[in-house]
Amino acid sequence: MGEVEPARAGPLEPPEPPEAPPTRRPGGIRVLKRNMKRNGSRNCLNRRSRFGSRERDWLREDVKRGCVYLYGADTTTATTSTTSSSSSSSCTSSDLHLVLCTVETSASEICAGEGRENLYLQLHGDLVRRLEPTERPLQIVYDYLSRLGFDDPVRIQEEATNPDLGCMIRFYGEKPCQMDHLDRILLSGIYNVRKGKTQLHKWAERLVVLCGTCLIVSSVKDCQTGKMHILPLVGGKVEEVKRRQHSLAFSSAGAQAQTYHVSFETLAEYQRWQRQASKVVSQRISTVDLSCYSLEEVPEHLFYSQDITYLNLRHNFMQLGRPGGLDTLYKFSQLKGLNLSHNKLGLFPVLLCEISTLTELNLSCNGFHDLPSQIGNLLNLQTLCLDGNFLNTLPEELGNLQQLSSLGISFNNFSYIPGVYEKLTMLDKVVMAGNCLEVLDLGVLSRMTHIKHVDLRMNHLKTLVFENLEGNKYITHMDLRDNQLTDLDLSSLCSLEQLHCERNQLRELTLSGFSLRTLYASSNRLTAVNVYPVPNLLTSLELSRNLLECIPDWACEAKKLEILDMSYNLLTEVPMRILSSLSLRKLMVGHNHVRSLPALVEHITLEALDLQHNVLTRLPDALFSKALNLRYLNASANSLEFLPSACTGEESLSMLQLLYLTNNLLTDQCIPVLVGHPHLRILHLASNQLQTFPASKLNKLEQLEELNLSGNKLKTIPTTIANCKRLHTLVAHSNNISIFPEILQLPQIQFVDLSCNDLTEILLPEALPATLQDLDLTGNTNLVLEHKTLDMFSHITALKIDQKPLPITDSTVTSTSWSHGLAEMAGQRNKLCVSALAMDNFAEGVGAVYGMFDGDRNEELPRLLQCTMADVLLEEIQQSTNDTVFMASTFLVSHRKLGMAGQKLGSSALLCYIRPDTADPTSSFSLTVANVGTCQAVLCRGGKPVPLSKVFSLEQDPEEAQRVKEQKAIITEDNKVNGVTCCTRMLGCAYLCPWILPKPHISSTSLTIQDELLILGNRALWEHLSYTEAVNAVRHVQDPLAAAKKLCTLAQSYGCQDNVGAMVVYLNIGEEGCTCEMNGLTLPGPVGFPSTTTIKDAPKPTTPSSSSGIASEFSSEMSTSEVSSEVGSTASDEHNTGGLEAALVPRPERRCSLHPTPTSGVFQRQPSCATFSSNQSDNGLDSDDDQPVEGVISNGSKVEVEVDIHCCRGRDLENSPTLKENSSTPRPEEHPRGLCFGIRRQNSVNSGILMPLNKDKMELQKSPSTSCLYGKKLSNGSIVPLEDSLNLIEVATEAPKRKTGYFAAPTQLEPEDQFVVPRDLEEEVKEQMKQHQESRPQPEPREEDRTEPPEEFDTAL
């Protein structure tokens, strides 16, 4: 540990470390000054740099004590990188202090002790603010952690001492600067300068400054106060001087333009000046953008640019009373536009009212509680933005601004419409979203004859008030979304053209139809909508998610209606009048109770028709012959048994391109009808009763691009599919297909899903199409892939195949209480931003963990959460047994571990933890679910859905929306916080704190025998499937993988075009699921009481395809030998190291999850899903275990790891149950296994690895399809297991790819069960192992157990 410099004696001073001489500091605080080890790539402290035990003891005495990490100014130069593609440059610095203090210690005391003038605070790697002398840094940290969701003071103190917290909040002793920021603010230097274009003037050294819109040249060298020559550059030129190296010619605009030649010394300086000057001369107006620079004042040289007309100072910390502060902005004589939003001013700067030239002023999000009367002096003001403040009144003097045409006062505290609007006659809009209005007074609006648009969304409106019966002829647009209205009568607004009233509680709606053009009233409780007279100008009508039993008559008579959305209502019929409308183009009546459609007599103009989720048994016979413009038809989730013909004569005139018929009762008889649609591009026939698809019919669908035939009874795909040259997607999972279709010759094929079929082999062409990106072959239990086949598939981004079931070892616990299946589909997106976590054996096999992560538009955060969250949970359950506490801490710590990636990116997260139930004596297990964002979990209990999650979105959670409003976030019209996301709680997006928080919703329930399954899904899944439909769709499906696939397929057929992910966990809670090896003894009950249950026959273990959906993948981005060497694992800092003797002790009795063996209390980290190399991983994360392990030789190369190094120890395997082949009735069979060791030599490492191999493992290696068991990444970096470990279920071999950030991976331990043996010692080690084996008594193997010695492969596979 480094040098310690204690403070003078006092209550804050901890015991003196013996290695540090005591010294005195004037600040009354303790400072630990160290040369901390730092990782330049991720810019955060290494774990070994924490303070020592003496300091910890001092902190434990009082929770109000803590520490502050004080960084030097050169610690970082770029901390705002947000994506893996962007890189941040970091400067390694030893100027890092650990300051021990209390919550009462002020910034001035720390500055005095450190000999500094100021302290600076940076949040989320963004802006840097100077602390006031009276501010208390430690209290700021504690308050920040409390806002995140930490409740326990002791835990807050512990988190505050974590150096990884620096990615969210950090303190600097000097203000850090970024070079690119300085360049954009000001460029200066002493260079050779020549005035004019001719050679008459000589070169001379002068001070040259480029600031704002001007080039400033001093008249004398080094002079900054004398005469300065100003050259306006807006509209001018910047040209290269060819006769002189690294020289630029700056010219102003106009007929009498002046020119200055500047010669730079280096190419770098030349490029910097040219880049910045080119931006200035390209402007048409004099605009200076100084936003997001943490400025307290503008540069003094900026005042030379007197031609500035627009100045942007958004997101700074501008102050008064400084040389370039707010009180000096009046010096810009031509200033017209000024943006001072997000400066936390607190008080309105009155001196701004003296800038009489202003026409546009933005002062939003500054914490104003009132406005001064002097604002009436800005007579030329046309636009005034005051959103996101605390205003509740407007001064009467504001009425003097007769040129004001735009006034924004949204998200303030107004409870009424200010009367000053009546004086501002140039205004045509009342923009008051997010205020506190409870009553809408239409009489007040009637007096404002100049107001046409009214925006009152997200208020508290409950009632309307009429002063008289006179109509309002002026209001044309009104937005009343997200209020609490129950009845709405706007019939007096006779000029109303557009109305938004979604997400209220409306039961009845009455409007005037004279001018009505668009009406949006979804998500209410409407039973009646009255519009009079008939709205002949109406073009769009949206009444979805209401309680309407019929389509209004006036809607059928609207002559210009083009779009009608009546989905999610109670309709029983569709009137013929609406179908025969000559203007209607799009009709959506899905999710109703429509039994039949009227017969069509005349041609209809419909182009899109949505009939899904009704009770239709047939479609009109003349539908396709009369609807010749129909291009989109979705009739999924009905009871259709056949389709109407599309041909009325010899040739079909159908223009149908998209046809969705999933989840019906269609048979083979419907296939010939499809030939009548030659323009079909997308065809979904999933979950029907198809047995064959005639080859002659498929041959005629030449335009087909996407074909979904999953969930049928097909045995083959016709060979004529090779004629569909445009086909890029084939989904045919969950059939009985035994012959691989001829799709690998299609030139545009990209995605093929043939999982859960009966494939046995694949006949490959000579070359595979280069476009193939995803091939899913999981669930084909009889499929055997040879090495040649795998080599040909090596270029595929995501290859998913089954792994053969691994032998059950004594160190693993096999549970039949639950099994899972996972499906993820990208949809029409080009990347998959959904990842999942699944661990059937968690925490020494006594529980399970399942998770779902949805990054919306980013794939990096779901990968990081997938890799780290299980490890974090395992650490937290060691610290607390309270499910609410450890689940909340898991989310909050995972939020911190996201590091730099979590500053600007965010992700929804869902985590489900199953564990033995200690609270309920009637239950064996309890289920704890925590979530943020929009991912949800639903439990099927007795065939009924039980939601376990809460959707944290502005639209579905009014309480969260109110919280965000009170904290003055700006919610845009598309219902997104600051225009970024609709979620109010997420992991990541730290820069939106405190509006978006990581604190999860947590629920716990005891699992019973009635609990059948658990469904996890992301937002896209639950938007298109109800809880009831999802449960009913999969509760009778035997294979969880097929069940998850079915859910995703249904969502896509129902209209989902986004990423969709589903995980189905089958639960078997009860004594019949016990697999304990008790030799017929009585088992204890679930809570420790005796039970009469006796194990006789062990159930046959299911294959990975039918239980877990586990697959291995092979990526073209690295060879198989590289993959094997890349594999690693993560572990905690504390673990018990064991030698060879420890690995050869007799095995303990194998227990199941229902009756786990009592744990010894020793913590051992569960293996992580992440894959890291032994020295440094692909994402820049390295291990803290730098000390070499005794007996292990390391040359810096990567170590090959093939088994779970934390859970799979070599043991003396005795009487391990296996399955007897060719047996109709599965039963356990006891037989001894020998212990063998094989030396696997790695090509890149001049050493060997000694590892235990049991008999079943050796037999497994002989299989061609399992000789290569290394996980490869999915197209989204999602998980696939290293199947050598039953505990490792998912691996992201390249997650994440970026090499920078604060993200700190769990530390890695040296493997206990593998030894790197020097080449010259191999024979000696083998001999010792052989002697050790011979010294132990070996049971005599039975005849049927005798096998040949295993065959060792020395290849990369």
Side-chain angles (χ1 to χ4, degrees), residues 5-69:
E5 299 181 8
R8 63 179 60 186
L12 301 183
E13 187 169 346
E16 293 295 331
E19 69 271 16
T23 57
R24 297 287 183 178
R25 299 188 70 87
I29 57 176
R30 183 161 182 84
V31 179
L32 301 180
K33 230 178 155 182
R34 299 186 179 167
N35 295 330
M36 301 283 201
K37 178 182 176 182
R38 302 185 55 82
N39 184 324
S41 64
R42 69 173 180 259
N43 216 4
C44 71
L45 290 173
N46 200 309
R47 290 188 181 275
R48 70 169 62 251
S49 63
R50 295 173 178 173
F51 46 84
S53 59
R54 294 177 179 270
E55 290 79 17
R56 285 189 185 278
D57 294 339
W58 180 78
L59 294 180
R60 292 192 185 102
E61 297 176 2
D62 189 351
V63 294
K64 294 184 179 180
R65 296 177 179 178
C67 70
V68 172
Y69 288 96

Coordinates of all heavy atoms in Angstrom, one line a residue, residues 5-69:
E5 N -0.8 9.9 4.3 CA -0.6 11.2 5.0 C -1.8 11.5 5.8 O -2.8 12.0 5.3 CB -0.4 12.2 3.9 CG 0.8 11.9 3.0 CD 1.0 13.0 1.9 OE1 0.3 14.0 2.0 OE2 1.9 12.8 1.0
P6 N -1.7 11.2 7.1 CA -2.9 11.4 8.0 C -3.1 12.9 8.3 O -2.2 13.7 8.1 CB -2.5 10.6 9.2 CG -1.0 10.7 9.3 CD -0.5 10.7 7.8
A7 N -4.2 13.2 8.8 CA -4.5 14.6 9.2 C -4.1 14.8 10.6 O -3.7 13.8 11.3 CB -6.0 14.9 9.0
R8 N -4.3 16.0 11.1 CA -4.0 16.2 12.5 C -5.1 15.5 13.4 O -6.1 15.1 12.9 CB -4.1 17.7 12.9 CG -5.4 18.3 12.7 CD -5.3 19.8 13.0 NE -4.4 20.5 12.2 CZ -4.0 21.8 12.3 NH1 -4.6 22.5 13.3 NH2 -3.2 22.3 11.5
A9 N -4.7 15.2 14.7 CA -5.5 14.4 15.6 C -6.9 15.0 15.6 O -7.1 16.2 15.8 CB -4.9 14.3 16.9
G10 N -7.9 14.1 15.7 CA -9.3 14.5 15.7 C -10.1 13.3 15.6 O -9.7 12.2 15.4
P11 N -11.4 13.5 15.7 CA -12.4 12.4 15.7 C -12.4 11.7 14.3 O -12.9 10.6 14.2 CB -13.7 13.1 16.0 CG -13.5 14.5 15.6 CD -12.1 14.8 15.9
L12 N -11.9 12.4 13.2 CA -12.0 11.8 11.9 C -10.8 10.9 11.7 O -10.7 10.2 10.7 CB -12.0 12.8 10.8 CG -13.1 13.8 10.9 CD1 -13.0 14.8 9.7 CD2 -14.5 13.1 10.9
E13 N -9.8 10.9 12.5 CA -8.5 10.2 12.2 C -8.5 8.8 12.6 O -8.7 8.4 13.7 CB -7.4 11.0 12.9 CG -6.0 10.5 12.5 CD -4.9 11.4 13.0 OE1 -5.2 12.5 13.5 OE2 -3.8 11.0 13.0
P14 N -8.4 7.9 11.6 CA -8.3 6.5 11.9 C -6.9 6.1 12.5 O -6.0 6.9 12.5 CB -8.5 5.8 10.6 CG -8.0 6.8 9.6 CD -8.3 8.1 10.2
P15 N -6.8 4.9 13.0 CA -5.4 4.5 13.5 C -4.4 4.6 12.4 O -4.6 4.3 11.2 CB -5.7 3.0 13.9 CG -7.1 2.9 14.1 CD -7.8 3.9 13.1
E16 N -3.2 4.9 12.9 CA -2.1 5.1 11.9 C -1.5 3.8 11.4 O -1.1 3.0 12.2 CB -1.0 5.9 12.6 CG -1.3 7.4 12.9 CD -1.6 8.2 11.7 OE1 -1.0 7.9 10.6 OE2 -2.5 9.1 11.8
P17 N -1.4 3.6 10.1 CA -0.7 2.4 9.6 C 0.7 2.5 10.0 O 1.3 3.6 9.9 CB -0.9 2.5 8.1 CG -2.1 3.4 7.9 CD -2.1 4.4 9.1
P18 N 1.3 1.4 10.3 CA 2.7 1.5 10.8 C 3.7 1.9 9.7 O 4.8 2.5 10.1 CB 3.0 0.0 11.2 CG 2.0 -0.8 10.5 CD 0.8 0.1 10.3
E19 N 3.4 1.7 8.5 CA 4.4 2.0 7.4 C 4.4 3.5 7.1 O 5.2 3.9 6.2 CB 4.1 1.2 6.2 CG 2.9 1.6 5.4 CD 1.7 0.8 5.9 OE1 1.8 0.2 7.0 OE2 0.6 0.8 5.3
A20 N 3.5 4.3 7.6 CA 3.4 5.7 7.2 C 3.8 6.6 8.3 O 3.2 6.5 9.4 CB 2.0 6.0 6.7
P21 N 4.7 7.5 8.2 CA 5.1 8.4 9.2 C 4.0 9.5 9.3 O 3.4 9.9 8.4 CB 6.4 9.1 8.7 CG 6.3 8.9 7.2 CD 5.6 7.6 7.0
P22 N 3.6 9.8 10.6 CA 2.5 10.8 10.8 C 2.9 12.2 10.3 O 4.0 12.6 10.6 CB 2.2 10.7 12.3 CG 3.5 10.2 12.9 CD 4.2 9.3 11.9
T23 N 2.1 12.8 9.6 CA 2.3 14.2 9.2 C 1.0 15.0 9.5 O -0.1 14.4 9.7 CB 2.6 14.3 7.7 OG1 1.6 13.7 7.0 CG2 3.9 13.6 7.4
R24 N 1.1 16.3 9.5 CA 0.0 17.2 9.7 C -0.6 17.7 8.5 O 0.1 18.2 7.6 CB 0.4 18.3 10.7 CG 0.8 17.8 12.0 CD -0.3 17.3 12.9 NE 0.1 16.9 14.2 CZ -0.7 16.4 15.1 NH1 -2.0 16.4 14.9 NH2 -0.3 16.1 16.3
R25 N -1.9 17.8 8.3 CA -2.6 18.4 7.2 C -3.6 19.4 7.8 O -4.2 19.1 8.8 CB -3.3 17.4 6.3 CG -2.3 16.4 5.7 CD -3.1 15.6 4.7 NE -3.4 16.4 3.5 CZ -2.6 16.5 2.5 NH1 -1.4 16.0 2.5 NH2 -2.9 17.2 1.4
P26 N -3.8 20.5 7.2 CA -4.6 21.6 7.8 C -6.1 21.3 7.7 O -6.9 22.1 8.3 CB -4.2 22.8 7.0 CG -3.8 22.3 5.6 CD -3.1 21.0 5.9
G27 N -6.5 20.4 6.9 CA -7.9 20.3 6.6 C -8.7 19.5 7.6 O -10.0 19.4 7.5
G28 N -8.1 18.8 8.6 CA -8.9 18.0 9.5 C -9.5 16.7 8.8 O -10.5 16.2 9.3
I29 N -8.9 16.3 7.8 CA -9.3 15.1 7.1 C -8.2 14.2 6.8 O -7.0 14.6 7.0 CB -10.0 15.4 5.7 CG1 -9.0 16.2 4.9 CG2 -11.3 16.2 5.9 CD1 -9.6 16.5 3.5
R30 N -8.5 12.9 6.5 CA -7.4 11.9 6.3 C -7.3 11.7 4.8 O -8.3 11.5 4.1 CB -7.7 10.7 7.0 CG -6.6 9.6 6.9 CD -6.7 8.6 8.0 NE -5.6 7.7 7.9 CZ -4.4 7.9 8.4 NH1 -4.2 9.0 9.0 NH2 -3.5 6.9 8.3
V31 N -6.1 11.7 4.3 CA -5.8 11.5 2.9 C -4.9 10.4 2.7 O -3.8 10.3 3.3 CB -5.3 12.8 2.2 CG1 -5.0 12.6 0.8 CG2 -6.2 14.0 2.4
L32 N -5.3 9.4 1.8 CA -4.4 8.3 1.4 C -3.9 8.6 0.0 O -4.7 8.7 -0.9 CB -5.1 7.0 1.5 CG -5.7 6.6 2.8 CD1 -6.4 5.3 2.7 CD2 -4.7 6.6 3.9
K33 N -2.6 8.9 -0.1 CA -2.0 9.2 -1.4 C -1.3 8.0 -2.0 O -0.5 7.4 -1.4 CB -1.0 10.3 -1.2 CG -1.2 11.5 -2.1 CD -0.2 12.6 -1.8 CE 0.0 13.4 -3.1 NZ 1.0 14.4 -2.9
R34 N -1.8 7.6 -3.1 CA -1.2 6.3 -3.7 C -1.0 6.4 -5.1 O -1.6 7.2 -5.8 CB -2.2 5.2 -3.4 CG -2.5 5.0 -2.0 CD -3.4 3.8 -1.9 NE -3.6 3.5 -0.5 CZ -4.6 2.7 -0.1 NH1 -5.2 2.0 -1.0 NH2 -4.8 2.5 1.2
N35 N 0.0 5.6 -5.5 CA 0.1 5.3 -7.0 C -0.7 4.1 -7.3 O -0.3 3.0 -7.3 CB 1.6 5.0 -7.3 CG 2.5 6.3 -7.1 OD1 2.0 7.4 -7.2 ND2 3.7 6.0 -6.7
M36 N -2.0 4.4 -7.6 CA -3.0 3.3 -7.8 C -2.7 2.7 -9.1 O -2.4 3.3 -10.1 CB -4.4 3.9 -7.8 CG -4.8 4.6 -6.5 SD -5.2 3.4 -5.3 CE -6.2 4.5 -4.2
K37 N -2.8 1.3 -9.2 CA -2.7 0.6 -10.4 C -4.0 0.9 -11.2 O -5.1 0.8 -10.7 CB -2.6 -0.9 -10.2 CG -2.5 -1.7 -11.5 CD -2.4 -3.2 -11.2 CE -2.5 -3.9 -12.5 NZ -2.4 -5.4 -12.3
R38 N -3.8 1.3 -12.5 CA -4.9 1.6 -13.3 C -4.9 0.9 -14.6 O -3.8 0.5 -15.1 CB -5.0 3.1 -13.6 CG -5.0 4.0 -12.3 CD -5.1 5.4 -12.7 NE -6.3 5.6 -13.5 CZ -7.5 5.7 -13.1 NH1 -7.8 5.6 -11.8 NH2 -8.5 5.9 -13.9
N39 N -6.0 0.7 -15.2 CA -6.1 0.1 -16.5 C -6.4 1.2 -17.5 O -7.5 1.7 -17.4 CB -7.2 -1.0 -16.5 CG -7.3 -1.7 -17.8 OD1 -7.1 -1.1 -18.9 ND2 -7.6 -3.0 -17.8
G40 N -5.6 1.5 -18.4 CA -5.8 2.6 -19.2 C -6.9 2.4 -20.2 O -7.5 3.4 -20.7
S41 N -7.3 1.2 -20.5 CA -8.3 0.9 -21.5 C -9.7 1.2 -20.9 O -10.6 1.6 -21.6 CB -8.3 -0.5 -22.0 OG -8.5 -1.4 -21.0
R42 N -9.9 0.9 -19.6 CA -11.2 1.0 -19.1 C -11.3 2.2 -18.1 O -12.4 2.5 -17.6 CB -11.8 -0.2 -18.4 CG -11.0 -0.6 -17.2 CD -11.8 -1.8 -16.5 NE -11.2 -2.3 -15.3 CZ -10.4 -3.3 -15.2 NH1 -10.1 -4.0 -16.3 NH2 -9.9 -3.7 -14.0
N43 N -10.2 2.8 -17.8 CA -10.2 4.1 -17.1 C -10.8 4.0 -15.7 O -11.6 4.8 -15.3 CB -10.9 5.1 -17.9 CG -10.2 6.5 -17.7 OD1 -9.2 6.6 -17.0 ND2 -10.8 7.5 -18.3
C44 N -10.6 2.9 -15.0 CA -11.1 2.8 -13.6 C -10.1 2.0 -12.8 O -9.2 1.4 -13.3 CB -12.5 2.0 -13.6 SG -12.4 0.3 -14.0
L45 N -10.3 2.1 -11.5 CA -9.4 1.5 -10.6 C -9.4 0.0 -10.6 O -10.4 -0.6 -10.8 CB -9.7 2.0 -9.1 CG -9.4 3.4 -8.8 CD1 -10.0 3.8 -7.5 CD2 -8.0 3.8 -8.9
N46 N -8.2 -0.6 -10.4 CA -8.2 -2.0 -10.3 C -8.6 -2.4 -8.9 O -8.5 -1.6 -7.9 CB -6.7 -2.5 -10.5 CG -6.7 -3.9 -10.9 OD1 -7.2 -4.8 -10.2 ND2 -6.0 -4.2 -12.0
R47 N -9.1 -3.6 -8.7 CA -9.6 -4.0 -7.4 C -8.5 -4.1 -6.3 O -8.9 -4.0 -5.2 CB -10.3 -5.4 -7.5 CG -11.6 -5.4 -8.3 CD -12.3 -6.7 -8.3 NE -13.5 -6.7 -9.0 CZ -14.7 -6.2 -8.6 NH1 -14.8 -5.7 -7.4 NH2 -15.7 -6.3 -9.3
R48 N -7.3 -4.3 -6.7 CA -6.3 -4.4 -5.7 C -5.9 -3.0 -5.1 O -5.1 -2.9 -4.2 CB -5.0 -5.1 -6.2 CG -4.3 -4.3 -7.2 CD -2.9 -4.9 -7.5 NE -3.0 -6.2 -8.0 CZ -2.7 -7.3 -7.4 NH1 -2.3 -7.3 -6.1 NH2 -2.8 -8.5 -7.9
S49 N -6.5 -2.0 -5.6 CA -6.2 -0.6 -5.1 C -7.1 -0.1 -4.0 O -7.1 1.1 -3.7 CB -6.2 0.4 -6.3 OG -7.6 0.4 -6.8
R50 N -7.9 -1.0 -3.4 CA -8.7 -0.6 -2.3 C -7.8 -0.3 -1.0 O -6.8 -0.9 -0.9 CB -9.7 -1.6 -2.0 CG -10.7 -1.8 -3.1 CD -11.6 -3.0 -2.8 NE -12.6 -3.2 -3.9 CZ -13.4 -4.2 -4.0 NH1 -13.4 -5.2 -3.1 NH2 -14.3 -4.3 -5.0
F51 N -8.4 0.5 -0.1 CA -7.6 0.8 1.1 C -7.6 -0.4 2.0 O -8.3 -1.3 1.9 CB -8.2 2.1 1.8 CG -9.7 2.0 1.9 CD1 -10.3 1.4 3.0 CD2 -10.5 2.7 1.0 CE1 -11.7 1.3 3.1 CE2 -11.9 2.6 1.1 CZ -12.5 2.0 2.2
G52 N -6.8 -0.3 3.1 CA -6.5 -1.4 3.9 C -7.5 -1.6 5.0 O -8.5 -0.9 5.2
S53 N -7.1 -2.6 5.9 CA -8.0 -3.0 7.0 C -8.2 -1.9 8.0 O -9.2 -1.8 8.7 CB -7.5 -4.3 7.6 OG -6.2 -4.1 8.1
R54 N -7.1 -1.1 8.3 CA -7.2 -0.1 9.3 C -8.2 1.0 8.9 O -9.0 1.4 9.8 CB -5.8 0.6 9.5 CG -4.8 -0.3 10.1 CD -3.4 0.3 10.2 NE -2.4 -0.5 10.8 CZ -2.2 -0.6 12.1 NH1 -2.9 0.2 12.9 NH2 -1.2 -1.4 12.6
E55 N -8.2 1.4 7.7 CA -9.2 2.3 7.2 C -10.6 1.8 7.3 O -11.5 2.4 7.6 CB -8.8 2.8 5.8 CG -7.6 3.7 5.7 CD -6.3 2.8 5.8 OE1 -6.4 1.6 5.5 OE2 -5.3 3.4 6.0
R56 N -10.7 0.5 7.0 CA -12.0 -0.2 7.0 C -12.6 -0.2 8.4 O -13.7 0.1 8.7 CB -11.9 -1.6 6.5 CG -11.8 -1.7 5.0 CD -12.0 -3.1 4.5 NE -11.8 -3.2 3.1 CZ -12.7 -2.9 2.2 NH1 -13.9 -2.5 2.5 NH2 -12.4 -3.0 0.9
D57 N -11.7 -0.5 9.4 CA -12.1 -0.5 10.8 C -12.6 0.9 11.2 O -13.6 1.0 12.0 CB -11.0 -1.0 11.7 CG -10.6 -2.5 11.4 OD1 -11.5 -3.2 10.9 OD2 -9.5 -2.8 11.7
W58 N -11.9 1.9 10.7 CA -12.3 3.3 11.1 C -13.7 3.6 10.5 O -14.5 4.2 11.1 CB -11.3 4.2 10.6 CG -11.6 5.7 10.8 CD1 -11.4 6.3 12.0 CD2 -12.1 6.6 9.9 NE1 -11.8 7.6 11.9 CE2 -12.2 7.8 10.6 CE3 -12.5 6.6 8.6 CZ2 -12.7 9.0 10.0 CZ3 -12.9 7.7 8.0 CH2 -13.1 8.9 8.7
L59 N -14.0 3.1 9.3 CA -15.2 3.4 8.6 C -16.4 2.7 9.3 O -17.5 3.2 9.5 CB -15.2 3.0 7.2 CG -14.3 3.7 6.2 CD1 -14.4 3.2 4.8 CD2 -14.6 5.2 6.2
R60 N -16.1 1.4 9.8 CA -17.2 0.7 10.4 C -17.7 1.3 11.7 O -18.8 0.9 12.2 CB -16.7 -0.8 10.7 CG -16.4 -1.6 9.4 CD -16.3 -3.0 9.8 NE -15.9 -3.8 8.6 CZ -14.7 -4.2 8.3 NH1 -13.7 -3.9 9.1 NH2 -14.4 -4.9 7.2
E61 N -17.0 2.2 12.3 CA -17.4 2.8 13.6 C -18.6 3.7 13.4 O -19.3 3.9 14.4 CB -16.2 3.5 14.2 CG -15.0 2.6 14.6 CD -13.8 3.4 15.1 OE1 -14.0 4.7 15.2 OE2 -12.8 2.8 15.4
D62 N -18.8 4.2 12.2 CA -19.9 5.2 12.0 C -20.2 5.2 10.5 O -19.4 5.3 9.7 CB -19.4 6.6 12.4 CG -20.5 7.6 12.5 OD1 -21.7 7.2 12.0 OD2 -20.3 8.7 12.9
V63 N -21.5 5.0 10.3 CA -22.0 5.0 8.9 C -21.9 6.3 8.2 O -22.0 6.4 7.0 CB -23.5 4.4 8.8 CG1 -23.5 3.0 9.3 CG2 -24.4 5.3 9.6
K64 N -21.7 7.4 9.0 CA -21.6 8.7 8.4 C -20.1 9.0 7.9 O -19.8 10.0 7.4 CB -22.0 9.8 9.4 CG -23.5 9.7 9.7 CD -23.9 10.9 10.6 CE -25.4 10.8 10.9 NZ -25.8 12.0 11.8
R65 N -19.3 8.0 8.1 CA -17.9 8.1 7.6 C -17.8 7.5 6.3 O -18.6 6.6 5.9 CB -16.9 7.5 8.6 CG -16.8 8.1 10.0 CD -15.9 7.4 10.9 NE -15.8 8.0 12.2 CZ -15.1 7.5 13.2 NH1 -14.4 6.4 13.0 NH2 -15.0 8.2 14.3
G66 N -16.8 7.9 5.5 CA -16.7 7.3 4.2 C -15.4 7.8 3.5 O -14.5 8.4 4.2
C67 N -15.3 7.7 2.2 CA -14.2 8.1 1.5 C -14.6 8.7 0.2 O -15.7 8.4 -0.4 CB -13.2 7.0 1.3 SG -13.8 5.7 0.1
V68 N -13.8 9.6 -0.3 CA -14.0 10.2 -1.6 C -12.7 10.0 -2.4 O -11.6 10.3 -2.0 CB -14.3 11.7 -1.5 CG1 -14.3 12.4 -2.8 CG2 -15.6 11.9 -0.7
Y69 N -12.9 9.5 -3.6 CA -11.8 9.3 -4.6 C -11.6 10.6 -5.3 O -12.5 11.1 -6.0 CB -12.0 8.2 -5.5 CG -12.0 6.8 -4.9 CD1 -13.1 6.1 -4.5 CD2 -10.7 6.2 -4.8 CE1 -13.0 4.9 -3.9 CE2 -10.6 4.9 -4.2 CZ -11.8 4.3 -3.8 OH -11.7 3.0 -3.2

